[in-house]
Amino acid sequence: MSDMRSTADAPRSPGRPRSLRADEAIIEATLDLLAEGSNVEALSIEAIASRAGVGKATIYRRWAGKDALLLDALRRLKGVLPQPAGHSIRDDLILLVGAIGKNVDPRAEKIMPCLVPAVNRSTDQYQLYQNIIAPRRQLMREVLRRGVDEGVLRADVDIEVTMALLTGPMLIQRVLQWSPDLNDVDLPERVVDAVLEGIRAR
Amino acid sequence: MSDMRSTADAPRSPGRPRSLRADEAIIEATLDLLAEGSNVEALSIEAIASRAGVGKATIYRRWAGKDALLLDALRRLKGVLPQPAGHSIRDDLILLVGAIGKNVDPRAEKIMPCLVPAVNRSTDQYQLYQNIIAPRRQLMREVLRRGVDEGVLRADVDIEVTMALLTGPMLIQRVLQWSPDLNDVDLPERVVDAVLEGIRAR
């Protein structure tokens, strides 16, 4: 706290503007509180403001409410979206499958699993979770549709089930280490090849 | 507590023997404490004994230690193993896939997801988790091997990846409601048919 005050008294640094530093502190405070075991439903703007060393008004100036702030904070855990190169359907799928369940922030391991009960209990939390994963799912859907358009994949492929077949194995392996007989490293390729075996145009 | 003492003073009831009633109380106390948010690593035999209204010695007479007790308690959440009929590979797989992520006890929804961080942190907890799921995974492996032996499935099928393809989609859909475009009811059949498309003998 005394550190923050002396920073505020110091001449403006040439780095990021003040508002970005506050945003960062608010996001960090949110993730810290969740990683320490704060329940996502019980977590309050008051608690986040207090932890970040800012006023509640500073939070509300930037985010419409708790869910909007949580969405930004939780998306941060996942990092930037992967970028399929657009040449080979197989390569693009391996890239997307390889990104499943990967988080750039170690706090994710503590936060994500314990979101599950909240996601199942509340429509707001379910929507929040869907908003986090929807852009990644959309990328995969576009690659599969491109495969159908290009005639690489069968025209009658069940796109939604195929997406679950590509996603599920990687997610349970990365999050749960589901099988001691599989490993993260070659699993994306093995899953994509096994799935392509069933959906490739013949 | 006073209730337990009056029961102890009463003539022996003709129902279940005393030791089974104590076992039940111990299992229930364990599951209640976990469902209320007790951390699986921090949970102590003392706390379980106190909640169950028994002495620690009563617990140690029946279980070698905390992990053995947790294994019994957590297996209870999942209910009895499914019984494949052994006629059709497709029917047996649909039965097994349909049982994935199903729990017979509503406390499971709160307990299972929050086990994930402990499972990733500790070898003991990982072993515990593997002991819970291993018998179910073995059932699926046996059906797939039978399919290969009977010539219904390709001889070169990647059994371990196929098991992950059958399990992952159902688990993420049932535990996370992963896709709003899929539903629990017809998913087992759709997943099995999509997977069989790739592994059926041609």
Side-chain angles (χ1 to χ4, degrees), chain A residues 114 126 137 177-178 202, chain B residues 114 126 137 177-178 202:
Chain A
C114 286
Y126 182 65
R137 195 154 52 199
Q177 300 175 56
W178 177 74
R202 282 171 197 149
Chain B
C114 286
Y126 183 66
R137 197 155 51 201
Q177 301 175 57
W178 176 75
R202 281 169 200 152

Side-chain angles (χ1 to χ4, degrees), chain B residues 13-105:
Chain B
S13 80
R16 315 169 76 181
R18 174 78 41 87
S19 66
L20 272 187
R21 290 201 309 269
D23 285 4
E24 189 67 23
I26 292 161
I27 295 271
E28 287 298 303
T30 306
L31 293 175
D32 281 344
L33 287 166
L34 290 173
E36 287 161 16
S38 286
N39 183 292
V40 67
E41 288 156 300
L43 186 64
S44 68
I45 294 287
E46 283 81 356
I48 296 168
S50 154
R51 178 64 167 261
V54 303
K56 280 168 56 175
T58 305
I59 297 183
Y60 284 116
R61 210 172 297 133
R62 175 70 177 79
W63 288 279
K66 191 174 86 170
D67 283 351
L69 168 54
L70 283 171
L71 180 59
D72 272 3
L74 295 173
R75 273 197 176 147
R76 177 77 63 96
L77 295 177
K78 303 215 65 68
V80 296
L81 281 178
Q83 305 267 342
H87 306 306
S88 139
I89 299 295
R90 179 176 181 271
D91 289 351
D92 286 355
L93 291 178
I94 291 172
L95 174 82
L96 295 179
V97 170
I100 289 165
K102 238 186 194 165
N103 292 294
V104 295
D105 188 312

Side-chain angles (χ1 to χ4, degrees), chain A residues 109-110 113-114 116-117 119-121 126 129-130 133 137 140-141 154 158 160-161 163-169 171-182 187 190-191 194-195 197-199 202, chain B residues 109-110 113-114 116-117 119-121 126 129-130 133 137 140-141 154 158 160-161 163-169 171-182 187 190-191 194-195 197-199 202:
Chain A
E109 273 179 41
K110 296 190 177 186
C114 286
V116 174
V119 163
N120 287 325
R121 211 157 33 227
Y126 182 65
Y129 159 71
Q130 285 295 325
I133 64 174
R137 195 154 52 199
M140 188 180 279
R141 193 180 283 118
R154 291 204 330 257
D158 184 340
E160 298 304 314
V161 165
M163 285 169 39
L165 290 176
L166 290 164
T167 304
L171 202 53
I172 65 174
Q173 190 61 23
R174 205 158 251 158
V175 174
L176 294 171
Q177 300 175 56
W178 177 74
S179 167
D181 301 315
L182 294 172
L187 191 59
R190 286 170 76 185
V191 164
V195 171
E197 196 65 44
I199 65 176
R202 282 171 197 149
Chain B
E109 272 180 43
K110 295 190 178 186
C114 286
V116 173
V119 161
N120 287 325
R121 212 157 34 230
Y126 183 66
Y129 159 70
Q130 286 294 327
I133 64 173
R137 197 155 51 201
M140 189 180 278
R141 193 179 284 117
R154 292 205 328 257
D158 183 339
E160 298 303 315
V161 164
M163 285 167 45
L165 290 177
L166 290 165
T167 304
L171 202 52
I172 65 174
Q173 189 61 26
R174 204 159 252 159
V175 174
L176 294 171
Q177 301 175 57
W178 176 75
S179 167
D181 301 314
L182 295 173
L187 191 58
R190 286 170 76 185
V191 164
V195 170
E197 197 65 44
I199 63 175
R202 281 169 200 152

Side-chain angles (χ1 to χ4, degrees), chain A residues 74-117:
Chain A
L74 296 172
R75 272 195 177 151
R76 177 76 63 95
L77 294 177
K78 304 216 64 68
V80 296
L81 282 177
Q83 304 268 342
H87 306 306
S88 138
I89 299 295
R90 179 175 180 272
D91 289 351
D92 286 354
L93 291 177
I94 290 172
L95 174 80
L96 295 179
V97 170
I100 289 166
K102 239 189 193 162
N103 293 294
V104 295
D105 189 313
R107 286 172 294 193
E109 273 179 41
K110 296 190 177 186
I111 294 175
M112 300 305 263
C114 286
L115 288 182
V116 174

Side-chain angles (χ1 to χ4, degrees), chain A residues 57-68:
Chain A
T58 305
I59 298 184
Y60 284 117
R61 210 172 297 134
R62 175 69 177 79
W63 288 279
K66 193 176 85 170
D67 283 351

Side-chain angles (χ1 to χ4, degrees), chain A residues 21-96:
Chain A
R21 292 203 306 272
D23 285 5
E24 190 66 24
I26 292 161
I27 295 270
E28 286 300 303
T30 306
L31 293 175
D32 282 344
L33 287 167
L34 290 173
E36 287 162 16
S38 286
N39 182 293
V40 67
E41 288 157 300
L43 185 62
S44 68
I45 294 287
E46 283 82 354
I48 296 168
S50 153
R51 178 64 166 261
V54 302
K56 280 169 56 177
T58 305
I59 298 184
Y60 284 117
R61 210 172 297 134
R62 175 69 177 79
W63 288 279
K66 193 176 85 170
D67 283 351
L69 168 54
L70 283 171
L71 180 59
D72 273 3
L74 296 172
R75 272 195 177 151
R76 177 76 63 95
L77 294 177
K78 304 216 64 68
V80 296
L81 282 177
Q83 304 268 342
H87 306 306
S88 138
I89 299 295
R90 179 175 180 272
D91 289 351
D92 286 354
L93 291 177
I94 290 172
L95 174 80
L96 295 179

